[in-house]
Amino acid sequence: MKLTILRLQCLSTQDLLDLRKIWPDSDPTELETRLDEQHRLYAAKFNDRLLAAVNVTLKETRGELADFMVREVTRRRGVGSYLLEEVLAQNAAVTCWWMANNGNEALSAFMPEQGFIALGDGWVWQRP
């Protein structure tokens, strides 16, 4: 099967189980009530299972990424890169993206590889 990037709007029982594996310290059932045109949830799916996810908040031409996470067993295989690439592509009207630095060492190495620039307490990316 092919890895696909989806914007999740309605969470299935399986999605909730998978999101608990991606974000073990949070309750994904709360997410669905907050999803709308400005608050989005994107995920990478392979073999009917979610492997990675990110919360996206949009405000006109600005976007913010939060809780970007790839399941540990799936890391270093391009899943995170593909998820990020597709989120940026599917939101082409956004010219400036921001993601706060949450102290995650893996993200500290990953974000610059994706073209994001460290700025203060996070990373910024601007569409050329």
Side-chain angles (χ1 to χ4, degrees):
M1 289 204 75
K2 181 182 171 190
L3 179 67
T4 55
I5 306 304
L6 307 165
R7 177 179 168 201
L8 300 175
Q9 295 175 302
C10 296
L11 302 176
S12 70
T13 301
Q14 186 61 53
D15 291 342
L16 292 170
L17 289 171
D18 292 341
L19 288 169
R20 282 187 184 98
K21 292 176 184 174
I22 294 168
W23 296 315
D25 296 330
S26 64
D27 181 7
T29 56
E30 298 173 4
L31 283 173
E32 198 167 20
T33 61
R34 296 183 301 198
L35 298 177
D36 57 28
E37 285 305 305
Q38 288 76 39
H39 302 91
R40 300 177 179 190
L41 173 62
Y42 289 89
K45 191 172 207 171
F46 182 76
N47 284 345
D48 294 323
R49 296 295 184 266
L50 302 181
L51 305 177
V54 62
N55 284 302
V56 173
T57 302
L58 303 174
K59 294 178 186 167
E60 298 175 14
T61 61
R62 301 182 63 78
E64 183 176 339
L65 304 165
D67 306 317
F68 188 95
M69 185 63 65
V70 177
R71 287 181 56 186
E72 193 167 341
V73 296
T74 309
R75 292 183 190 156
R76 308 291 309 159
R77 297 182 184 171
V79 173
S81 296
Y82 189 47
L83 174 59
L84 185 57
E85 178 183 306
E86 282 297 306
V87 167
L88 298 182
Q90 290 181 29
N91 295 283
V94 176
T95 58
C96 183
W97 288 93
W98 166 260
M99 186 159 85
N101 183 347
N102 62 3
N104 183 319
E105 287 184 35
L107 280 177
S108 294
F110 175 78
M111 295 309 286
E113 289 176 5
Q114 306 308 309
F116 280 70
I117 298 167
L119 184 66
D121 58 350
W123 298 277
V124 67
W125 182 88
Q126 299 223 351
R127 193 172 302 280

